[in-house]
mmCIF file of all heavy atoms in Angstrom:
data_model
loop_
_atom_site.group_PDB
_atom_site.id
_atom_site.type_symbol
_atom_site.label_atom_id
_atom_site.label_comp_id
_atom_site.label_asym_id
_atom_site.label_seq_id
_atom_site.Cartn_x
_atom_site.Cartn_y
_atom_site.Cartn_z
ATOM 1 N N ALA A 1 11.154 -18.281 9.709
ATOM 2 C CA ALA A 1 9.770 -17.955 9.337
ATOM 3 C C ALA A 1 9.392 -18.631 8.020
ATOM 4 O O ALA A 1 8.265 -19.136 7.860
ATOM 5 C CB ALA A 1 9.603 -16.438 9.221
ATOM 6 N N THR A 2 10.331 -18.678 7.088
ATOM 7 C CA THR A 2 10.083 -19.330 5.796
ATOM 8 C C THR A 2 9.849 -20.821 5.975
ATOM 9 O O THR A 2 8.947 -21.399 5.357
ATOM 10 C CB THR A 2 11.279 -19.112 4.846
ATOM 11 O OG1 THR A 2 11.521 -17.713 4.710
ATOM 12 C CG2 THR A 2 10.997 -19.707 3.478
ATOM 13 N N GLN A 3 10.672 -21.458 6.811
ATOM 14 C CA GLN A 3 10.549 -22.894 7.035
ATOM 15 C C GLN A 3 9.154 -23.258 7.545
ATOM 16 O O GLN A 3 8.533 -24.208 7.074
ATOM 17 C CB GLN A 3 11.614 -23.350 8.045
ATOM 18 C CG GLN A 3 11.443 -24.770 8.551
ATOM 19 C CD GLN A 3 11.550 -25.825 7.460
ATOM 20 O OE1 GLN A 3 12.285 -25.664 6.488
ATOM 21 N NE2 GLN A 3 10.790 -26.902 7.603
ATOM 22 N N PHE A 4 8.654 -22.501 8.488
ATOM 23 C CA PHE A 4 7.404 -22.883 9.154
ATOM 24 C C PHE A 4 6.148 -22.295 8.514
ATOM 25 O O PHE A 4 5.063 -22.851 8.684
ATOM 26 C CB PHE A 4 7.463 -22.473 10.636
ATOM 27 C CG PHE A 4 8.496 -23.228 11.425
ATOM 28 C CD1 PHE A 4 9.638 -22.596 11.881
ATOM 29 C CD2 PHE A 4 8.335 -24.584 11.690
ATOM 30 C CE1 PHE A 4 10.596 -23.294 12.599
ATOM 31 C CE2 PHE A 4 9.289 -25.293 12.409
ATOM 32 C CZ PHE A 4 10.425 -24.648 12.870
ATOM 33 N N PHE A 5 6.286 -21.179 7.770
ATOM 34 C CA PHE A 5 5.082 -20.484 7.299
ATOM 35 C C PHE A 5 5.064 -20.234 5.786
ATOM 36 O O PHE A 5 4.303 -19.384 5.320
ATOM 37 C CB PHE A 5 4.938 -19.135 8.029
ATOM 38 C CG PHE A 5 4.863 -19.260 9.518
ATOM 39 C CD1 PHE A 5 5.924 -18.832 10.304
ATOM 40 C CD2 PHE A 5 3.756 -19.831 10.137
ATOM 41 C CE1 PHE A 5 5.875 -18.942 11.684
ATOM 42 C CE2 PHE A 5 3.695 -19.949 11.512
ATOM 43 C CZ PHE A 5 4.762 -19.510 12.300
ATOM 44 N N ALA A 6 5.854 -20.974 5.014
ATOM 45 C CA ALA A 6 5.948 -20.717 3.571
ATOM 46 C C ALA A 6 4.581 -20.785 2.885
ATOM 47 O O ALA A 6 4.185 -19.859 2.166
ATOM 48 C CB ALA A 6 6.922 -21.703 2.921
ATOM 49 N N GLU A 7 3.857 -21.879 3.107
ATOM 50 C CA GLU A 7 2.551 -22.038 2.447
ATOM 51 C C GLU A 7 1.571 -20.959 2.891
ATOM 52 O O GLU A 7 0.826 -20.394 2.078
ATOM 53 C CB GLU A 7 1.955 -23.420 2.752
ATOM 54 C CG GLU A 7 2.643 -24.573 2.024
ATOM 55 C CD GLU A 7 3.870 -25.099 2.759
ATOM 56 O OE1 GLU A 7 4.189 -24.554 3.845
ATOM 57 O OE2 GLU A 7 4.489 -26.059 2.268
ATOM 58 N N HIS A 8 1.574 -20.668 4.177
ATOM 59 C CA HIS A 8 0.652 -19.650 4.699
ATOM 60 C C HIS A 8 0.933 -18.291 4.062
ATOM 61 O O HIS A 8 -0.004 -17.573 3.667
ATOM 62 C CB HIS A 8 0.795 -19.557 6.220
ATOM 63 C CG HIS A 8 -0.099 -18.532 6.842
ATOM 64 N ND1 HIS A 8 -1.470 -18.683 6.924
ATOM 65 C CD2 HIS A 8 0.179 -17.315 7.395
ATOM 66 C CE1 HIS A 8 -2.001 -17.614 7.496
ATOM 67 N NE2 HIS A 8 -1.015 -16.775 7.799
ATOM 68 N N MET A 9 2.201 -17.930 3.944
ATOM 69 C CA MET A 9 2.561 -16.635 3.350
ATOM 70 C C MET A 9 2.116 -16.553 1.898
ATOM 71 O O MET A 9 1.643 -15.512 1.440
ATOM 72 C CB MET A 9 4.068 -16.396 3.482
ATOM 73 C CG MET A 9 4.516 -16.094 4.898
ATOM 74 S SD MET A 9 6.252 -15.564 5.029
ATOM 75 C CE MET A 9 7.100 -17.127 4.834
ATOM 76 N N LEU A 10 2.262 -17.642 1.160
ATOM 77 C CA LEU A 10 1.849 -17.659 -0.242
ATOM 78 C C LEU A 10 0.338 -17.515 -0.369
ATOM 79 O O LEU A 10 -0.161 -16.824 -1.266
ATOM 80 C CB LEU A 10 2.325 -18.953 -0.904
ATOM 81 C CG LEU A 10 3.839 -19.041 -1.141
ATOM 82 C CD1 LEU A 10 4.256 -20.487 -1.384
ATOM 83 C CD2 LEU A 10 4.258 -18.164 -2.319
ATOM 84 N N ARG A 11 -0.398 -18.163 0.548
ATOM 85 C CA ARG A 11 -1.863 -18.039 0.514
ATOM 86 C C ARG A 11 -2.292 -16.619 0.832
ATOM 87 O O ARG A 11 -3.242 -16.097 0.235
ATOM 88 C CB ARG A 11 -2.495 -19.030 1.492
ATOM 89 C CG ARG A 11 -2.356 -20.491 1.065
ATOM 90 C CD ARG A 11 -3.174 -21.428 1.937
ATOM 91 N NE ARG A 11 -2.929 -22.814 1.545
ATOM 92 C CZ ARG A 11 -2.134 -23.654 2.219
ATOM 93 N NH1 ARG A 11 -1.518 -23.248 3.330
ATOM 94 N NH2 ARG A 11 -1.944 -24.884 1.793
ATOM 95 N N VAL A 12 -1.615 -15.979 1.784
ATOM 96 C CA VAL A 12 -1.916 -14.580 2.122
ATOM 97 C C VAL A 12 -1.716 -13.681 0.904
ATOM 98 O O VAL A 12 -2.450 -12.701 0.705
ATOM 99 C CB VAL A 12 -1.028 -14.106 3.292
ATOM 100 C CG1 VAL A 12 -1.102 -12.587 3.459
ATOM 101 C CG2 VAL A 12 -1.452 -14.796 4.580
ATOM 102 N N MET A 13 -0.751 -14.034 0.058
ATOM 103 C CA MET A 13 -0.481 -13.266 -1.159
ATOM 104 C C MET A 13 -1.495 -13.550 -2.266
ATOM 105 O O MET A 13 -1.418 -12.981 -3.352
ATOM 106 C CB MET A 13 0.921 -13.572 -1.680
ATOM 107 C CG MET A 13 2.044 -13.139 -0.753
ATOM 108 S SD MET A 13 2.187 -11.352 -0.563
ATOM 109 C CE MET A 13 2.856 -10.906 -2.161
ATOM 110 N N GLY A 14 -2.447 -14.443 -1.990
ATOM 111 C CA GLY A 14 -3.515 -14.715 -2.939
ATOM 112 C C GLY A 14 -3.273 -15.886 -3.874
ATOM 113 O O GLY A 14 -4.019 -16.078 -4.844
ATOM 114 N N ALA A 15 -2.252 -16.701 -3.612
ATOM 115 C CA ALA A 15 -1.939 -17.835 -4.483
ATOM 116 C C ALA A 15 -2.935 -18.976 -4.281
ATOM 117 O O ALA A 15 -3.328 -19.277 -3.146
ATOM 118 C CB ALA A 15 -0.528 -18.337 -4.202
ATOM 119 N N GLY A 16 -3.343 -19.618 -5.396
ATOM 120 C CA GLY A 16 -4.166 -20.821 -5.330
ATOM 121 C C GLY A 16 -3.316 -22.013 -4.929
ATOM 122 O O GLY A 16 -2.081 -21.926 -4.891
ATOM 123 N N GLU A 17 -3.959 -23.145 -4.678
ATOM 124 C CA GLU A 17 -3.236 -24.295 -4.139
ATOM 125 C C GLU A 17 -2.159 -24.831 -5.086
ATOM 126 O O GLU A 17 -1.095 -25.261 -4.645
ATOM 127 C CB GLU A 17 -4.221 -25.417 -3.766
ATOM 128 C CG GLU A 17 -5.043 -25.110 -2.518
ATOM 129 C CD GLU A 17 -4.171 -24.726 -1.324
ATOM 130 O OE1 GLU A 17 -3.231 -25.478 -1.000
ATOM 131 O OE2 GLU A 17 -4.422 -23.665 -0.728
ATOM 132 N N ALA A 18 -2.430 -24.812 -6.390
ATOM 133 C CA ALA A 18 -1.419 -25.287 -7.345
ATOM 134 C C ALA A 18 -0.184 -24.389 -7.311
ATOM 135 O O ALA A 18 0.956 -24.879 -7.355
ATOM 136 C CB ALA A 18 -2.007 -25.325 -8.758
ATOM 137 N N ILE A 19 -0.414 -23.093 -7.205
ATOM 138 C CA ILE A 19 0.692 -22.136 -7.138
ATOM 139 C C ILE A 19 1.403 -22.252 -5.791
ATOM 140 O O ILE A 19 2.631 -22.141 -5.711
ATOM 141 C CB ILE A 19 0.184 -20.701 -7.364
ATOM 142 C CG1 ILE A 19 -0.505 -20.576 -8.731
ATOM 143 C CG2 ILE A 19 1.318 -19.701 -7.236
ATOM 144 C CD1 ILE A 19 0.376 -20.906 -9.902
ATOM 145 N N VAL A 20 0.629 -22.476 -4.721
ATOM 146 C CA VAL A 20 1.222 -22.632 -3.380
ATOM 147 C C VAL A 20 2.203 -23.803 -3.359
ATOM 148 O O VAL A 20 3.303 -23.697 -2.812
ATOM 149 C CB VAL A 20 0.129 -22.831 -2.307
ATOM 150 C CG1 VAL A 20 0.741 -23.310 -0.988
ATOM 151 C CG2 VAL A 20 -0.637 -21.539 -2.096
ATOM 152 N N GLU A 21 1.822 -24.897 -3.986
ATOM 153 C CA GLU A 21 2.688 -26.082 -3.998
ATOM 154 C C GLU A 21 4.013 -25.794 -4.703
ATOM 155 O O GLU A 21 5.089 -26.146 -4.215
ATOM 156 C CB GLU A 21 1.963 -27.243 -4.692
ATOM 157 C CG GLU A 21 2.740 -28.550 -4.634
ATOM 158 C CD GLU A 21 1.986 -29.714 -5.265
ATOM 159 O OE1 GLU A 21 0.783 -29.564 -5.569
ATOM 160 O OE2 GLU A 21 2.612 -30.773 -5.471
ATOM 161 N N LEU A 22 3.933 -25.154 -5.863
ATOM 162 C CA LEU A 22 5.150 -24.804 -6.600
ATOM 163 C C LEU A 22 5.942 -23.703 -5.879
ATOM 164 O O LEU A 22 7.162 -23.788 -5.726
ATOM 165 C CB LEU A 22 4.791 -24.299 -7.999
ATOM 166 C CG LEU A 22 4.634 -25.316 -9.128
ATOM 167 C CD1 LEU A 22 4.143 -24.615 -10.385
ATOM 168 C CD2 LEU A 22 5.931 -26.040 -9.406
ATOM 169 N N GLY A 23 5.218 -22.698 -5.437
ATOM 170 C CA GLY A 23 5.869 -21.554 -4.807
ATOM 171 C C GLY A 23 6.570 -21.906 -3.514
ATOM 172 O O GLY A 23 7.629 -21.346 -3.202
ATOM 173 N N ALA A 24 6.005 -22.842 -2.744
ATOM 174 C CA ALA A 24 6.619 -23.228 -1.466
ATOM 175 C C ALA A 24 7.970 -23.897 -1.684
ATOM 176 O O ALA A 24 8.896 -23.725 -0.885
ATOM 177 C CB ALA A 24 5.682 -24.156 -0.702
ATOM 178 N N VAL A 25 8.090 -24.642 -2.763
ATOM 179 C CA VAL A 25 9.375 -25.281 -3.084
ATOM 180 C C VAL A 25 10.435 -24.203 -3.304
ATOM 181 O O VAL A 25 11.521 -24.239 -2.713
ATOM 182 C CB VAL A 25 9.244 -26.173 -4.345
ATOM 183 C CG1 VAL A 25 10.615 -26.664 -4.804
ATOM 184 C CG2 VAL A 25 8.320 -27.344 -4.078
ATOM 185 N N TYR A 26 10.110 -23.248 -4.152
ATOM 186 C CA TYR A 26 11.055 -22.164 -4.457
ATOM 187 C C TYR A 26 11.338 -21.323 -3.222
ATOM 188 O O TYR A 26 12.497 -21.016 -2.901
ATOM 189 C CB TYR A 26 10.477 -21.286 -5.571
ATOM 190 C CG TYR A 26 11.385 -20.169 -6.015
ATOM 191 C CD1 TYR A 26 12.304 -20.345 -7.045
ATOM 192 C CD2 TYR A 26 11.331 -18.921 -5.390
ATOM 193 C CE1 TYR A 26 13.145 -19.312 -7.444
ATOM 194 C CE2 TYR A 26 12.175 -17.889 -5.784
ATOM 195 C CZ TYR A 26 13.073 -18.094 -6.806
ATOM 196 O OH TYR A 26 13.901 -17.070 -7.193
ATOM 197 N N LEU A 27 10.266 -20.951 -2.499
ATOM 198 C CA LEU A 27 10.406 -20.045 -1.361
ATOM 199 C C LEU A 27 11.278 -20.651 -0.265
ATOM 200 O O LEU A 27 12.121 -19.954 0.321
ATOM 201 C CB LEU A 27 9.021 -19.688 -0.811
ATOM 202 C CG LEU A 27 8.975 -18.683 0.341
ATOM 203 C CD1 LEU A 27 9.657 -17.379 -0.048
ATOM 204 C CD2 LEU A 27 7.527 -18.420 0.754
ATOM 205 N N ARG A 28 11.103 -21.940 0.008
ATOM 206 C CA ARG A 28 11.911 -22.563 1.071
ATOM 207 C C ARG A 28 13.384 -22.651 0.677
ATOM 208 O O ARG A 28 14.262 -22.381 1.490
ATOM 209 C CB ARG A 28 11.371 -23.952 1.404
ATOM 210 C CG ARG A 28 10.142 -23.926 2.302
ATOM 211 C CD ARG A 28 9.927 -25.242 3.037
ATOM 212 N NE ARG A 28 8.899 -25.078 4.049
ATOM 213 C CZ ARG A 28 7.602 -25.323 3.866
ATOM 214 N NH1 ARG A 28 7.177 -25.753 2.677
ATOM 215 N NH2 ARG A 28 6.739 -25.136 4.835
ATOM 216 N N ILE A 29 13.648 -23.019 -0.563
ATOM 217 C CA ILE A 29 15.054 -23.140 -0.996
ATOM 218 C C ILE A 29 15.752 -21.791 -0.935
ATOM 219 O O ILE A 29 16.891 -21.681 -0.462
ATOM 220 C CB ILE A 29 15.138 -23.729 -2.422
ATOM 221 C CG1 ILE A 29 14.610 -25.167 -2.438
ATOM 222 C CG2 ILE A 29 16.592 -23.705 -2.929
ATOM 223 C CD1 ILE A 29 14.428 -25.744 -3.830
ATOM 224 N N VAL A 30 15.062 -20.743 -1.383
ATOM 225 C CA VAL A 30 15.663 -19.402 -1.417
ATOM 226 C C VAL A 30 15.580 -18.706 -0.058
ATOM 227 O O VAL A 30 16.507 -18.005 0.356
ATOM 228 C CB VAL A 30 14.969 -18.536 -2.496
ATOM 229 C CG1 VAL A 30 15.438 -17.096 -2.421
ATOM 230 C CG2 VAL A 30 15.249 -19.102 -3.879
ATOM 231 N N GLY A 31 14.471 -18.929 0.657
ATOM 232 C CA GLY A 31 14.200 -18.167 1.871
ATOM 233 C C GLY A 31 14.818 -18.703 3.141
ATOM 234 O O GLY A 31 15.157 -17.923 4.039
ATOM 235 N N ILE A 32 14.977 -20.018 3.265
ATOM 236 C CA ILE A 32 15.559 -20.559 4.500
ATOM 237 C C ILE A 32 16.985 -20.036 4.718
ATOM 238 O O ILE A 32 17.327 -19.614 5.824
ATOM 239 C CB ILE A 32 15.489 -22.100 4.515
ATOM 240 C CG1 ILE A 32 14.023 -22.536 4.677
ATOM 241 C CG2 ILE A 32 16.346 -22.673 5.639
ATOM 242 C CD1 ILE A 32 13.795 -24.035 4.572
ATOM 243 N N PRO A 33 17.842 -20.032 3.687
ATOM 244 C CA PRO A 33 19.163 -19.414 3.875
ATOM 245 C C PRO A 33 19.137 -17.906 3.608
ATOM 246 O O PRO A 33 20.001 -17.357 2.912
ATOM 247 C CB PRO A 33 20.031 -20.150 2.852
ATOM 248 C CG PRO A 33 19.103 -20.483 1.745
ATOM 249 C CD PRO A 33 17.744 -20.687 2.358
ATOM 250 N N ALA A 34 18.122 -17.221 4.156
ATOM 251 C CA ALA A 34 17.949 -15.780 3.883
ATOM 252 C C ALA A 34 19.112 -14.952 4.409
ATOM 253 O O ALA A 34 19.316 -13.824 3.952
ATOM 254 C CB ALA A 34 16.638 -15.290 4.503
ATOM 255 N N PHE A 35 19.885 -15.520 5.352
ATOM 256 C CA PHE A 35 21.010 -14.744 5.877
ATOM 257 C C PHE A 35 22.067 -14.478 4.808
ATOM 258 O O PHE A 35 22.841 -13.524 4.926
ATOM 259 C CB PHE A 35 21.624 -15.419 7.111
ATOM 260 C CG PHE A 35 22.192 -16.780 6.880
ATOM 261 C CD1 PHE A 35 23.510 -16.941 6.481
ATOM 262 C CD2 PHE A 35 21.409 -17.915 7.069
ATOM 263 C CE1 PHE A 35 24.047 -18.204 6.276
ATOM 264 C CE2 PHE A 35 21.936 -19.177 6.868
ATOM 265 C CZ PHE A 35 23.254 -19.330 6.465
#
């Protein structure tokens, strides 16, 4: 879910585009190996 929807999830949380760009980098690195 993180791999395919990271940006969408950040936007749902109210993040602007600059924050989405930074946040997606962090979220994918941490979230893809969520297991």
